[in-house]
Amino acid sequence: MRGNPVVNRRVVHKWRQVGIPTAGSVKIKILLCCCIALTLVVLAGLASSFMGWTGHPDSSYRLSSPRGRYAIVMNTWKRYDLLKQSIAHYVSCPRLESIHIVWSEPEPPSESLKRYLNRVAQSNSGDGHSVELKFDINTEDSLNNRFKEIKDLNTDAVFSIDDDVIFPCSSVELAFSVWQSAPETMVGFVPRVHWVDESKGKDHYIYGGWWSVWWTGTYSMVLSKAAFFHKKYFSLYTNEMPASIREYVAKNRNCEDIAMSFLVANATGGPPIWVKGKIFEIGSTGISSLGGHSERRTECVNRFVTVFGGMPLVSTSVKAIDSRSVWFW
C-alpha cells in the first residue's frame, strides 16, 4: 500500500517546519563562531601592541647573551651623505649593539663626520639603548677589508651591509631571528645562484643573477651586501682561506662576496637562507651595472672551485617569510 496521501502530506509538512529553523540555526551558529574567532584575533593583536610585544626575546636575554644582539659592519667609500642616512636609520633597530664602519680611504674620517655620526647614534638609538659607533681604519684600499677580523666585537652575529642599501628594521630583525635558529650559515636578503655549464663539462659553472633566481626558484648564495653570519668567519676569511683568493679579490676588485659564500658553504656543507625583505637602493648603480659583470662573476666562481678543489655551494629553494605579514601561508 502506498499509504494515506493526507497523512503523508502532513508528515512532510511537519518535517519541513522542523527542518527549516534547524538549518537556519546551524547557519547562524557558524556565522557567530566566525565573528567570535575574528574578534579574538583582533583583540590578540591589540593586546600585543598595547603590551609592547614585538616577537623578540625578553630584555634580560637580549642584554646577557652574545646571540641576543648583533653588530652591523658597514662598507663605505666616499659617500658621506649615504653613510649618514644609513647610520641614522639603522641605529633605531631594537637589537643592534654596535656599528663598525669599514674605512679604506686614503684620509681618515674627519672630526666633523665622526661628531655628526656619534650625535646621530646617540639621539636615534631606540629602546633606551645607546648604539656604539666605531671606525675600523684600514691602510690599504681592498674589498677584503670588509671581512677583516674585528677583535672587539661583543656579539656573535654580524650583519654585513653596504652603505647604499636600506632595509626596514622589521626586516633586519626577522633576518636576525632566522640567523639565531641557524647561526652557522649565512642569512641574507640578496640571493644568487650557480649552475653547471653543460656546454663546457660538468666541472664548469655559470653565475646567475637575480633574474636567474626568479626564473628557477633556486639559489645557492646570499650576497654579503646584506647578510648575517657568525663573526668567526672573519677570522677564517683572513687567516684560513687560501691567500690566492684574497689576492684575486684585491686585484680584480670583485667577488669578495662570492668568496665568503664559498667559505661558509665549505665550512657548513649546507645552503644559505634567503629572507624576504623590502630593499631600498639609495645610491647610484654600482659595479653590477657595468658591462661584462656576469662574465667576471662566472670567472670568479670557476677560479674559486679550482682553489677549493670542488664546488661547495649548495642550492636550495627555501625562503623565510614573516607569516604575520600575510593572511594565508
Side-chain angles (χ1 to χ4, degrees):
M1 292 179 64
R2 296 178 62 184
N4 191 328
V6 176
V7 175
N8 287 343
R9 284 196 297 269
R10 287 177 179 175
V11 171
V12 171
H13 180 68
K14 181 179 179 181
W15 278 109
R16 283 177 178 174
Q17 287 180 324
V18 173
I20 290 173
T22 301
S25 175
V26 171
K27 291 179 180 178
I28 291 173
K29 287 180 179 178
I30 293 174
L31 181 60
L32 286 173
C33 288
C34 291
C35 292
I36 291 171
L38 181 59
T39 302
L40 289 175
V41 170
V42 172
L43 289 176
L46 291 174
S48 66
S49 62
F50 288 146
M51 296 174 65
W53 185 81
T54 59
H56 306 312
D58 61 84
S59 58
S60 61
Y61 173 81
R62 284 159 51 187
L63 294 176
S64 61
S65 170
R67 285 189 182 174
R69 289 187 177 273
Y70 59 91
I72 282 179
V73 176
M74 184 177 294
N75 198 51
T76 187
W77 175 261
K78 294 186 176 181
R79 302 189 289 194
Y80 307 138
D81 289 340
L82 300 185
L83 179 62
K84 292 175 181 178
Q85 188 174 343
S86 292
I87 296 296
H89 166 71
Y90 285 114
V91 292
S92 64
C93 294
R95 290 187 283 174
L96 177 62
E97 176 77 15
S98 60
I99 297 179
H100 293 255
I101 301 171
V102 180
W103 191 271
S104 303
E105 298 181 18
E107 300 296 327
S110 66
E111 290 301 319
S112 61
L113 177 63
K114 289 193 288 187
R115 283 195 303 270
Y116 177 87
L117 293 179
N118 277 294
R119 186 167 64 251
V120 167
Q122 294 295 326
S123 60
N124 289 16
S125 298
D127 198 25
H129 175 74
S130 179
V131 174
E132 185 180 21
L133 186 66
K134 292 189 175 182
F135 284 87
D136 295 333
I137 309 297
N138 297 281
T139 56
E140 60 176 345
D141 175 22
S142 170
L143 289 178
N144 291 314
N145 291 340
R146 70 182 308 161
F147 299 139
K148 277 188 175 180
E149 187 174 9
I150 301 175
K151 298 293 186 180
D152 56 349
L153 270 180
N154 295 323
T155 65
D156 288 342
V158 171
F159 183 43
S160 175
I161 188 78
D162 285 347
D163 61 0
D164 62 347
V165 290
I166 285 182
F167 293 87
C169 286
S170 56
S171 295
V172 179
E173 296 290 311
L174 171 63
F176 178 47
S177 296
V178 173
W179 176 86
Q180 286 178 307
S181 68
E184 297 300 312
T185 192
M186 289 183 74
V187 176
F189 295 101
V190 186
R192 295 293 184 263
V193 69
H194 78 283
W195 65 88
V196 175
D197 185 356
E198 296 180 354
S199 66
K200 297 184 179 180
K202 63 179 182 178
D203 295 327
H204 197 276
Y205 300 89
I206 298 175
Y207 172 88
W210 161 247
W211 290 112
S212 299
V213 175
W214 179 84
W215 181 256
T216 63
T218 62
Y219 64 98
S220 55
M221 295 169 270
V222 289
L223 301 188
S224 55
K225 67 182 295 181
F228 276 96
F229 51 81
H230 198 285
K231 66 179 180 182
K232 67 181 179 182
Y233 292 117
F234 281 152
S235 176
L236 290 176
Y237 186 98
T238 303
N239 303 314
E240 303 295 333
M241 193 173 64
S244 61
I245 292 182
R246 293 194 303 275
E247 292 167 1
Y248 181 88
V249 167
K251 179 181 178 181
N252 292 275
R253 298 192 61 80
N254 205 333
C255 300
E256 84 287 355
D257 46 2
I258 297 178
M260 179 57 85
S261 289
F262 267 66
L263 176 71
V264 177
N266 188 66
T268 63
I273 300 175
W274 172 24
V275 178
K276 181 181 179 181
K278 295 180 180 178
I279 180 172
F280 298 94
E281 302 272 1
I282 61 173
S284 57
T285 54
I287 60 173
S288 60
S289 63
L290 300 177
H293 176 70
S294 294
E295 290 76 10
R296 285 192 290 271
R297 305 279 277 182
T298 292
E299 182 183 344
C300 290
V301 168
N302 287 288
R303 179 177 291 268
F304 297 168
V305 165
T306 300
V307 176
F308 271 83
M311 170 54 78
L313 299 177
V314 179
S315 297
T316 182
S317 58
V318 173
K319 180 167 64 173
I321 344 177
D322 188 348
S323 62
R324 294 171 299 178
S325 63
V326 294
W327 281 99
F328 301 102
W329 55 281

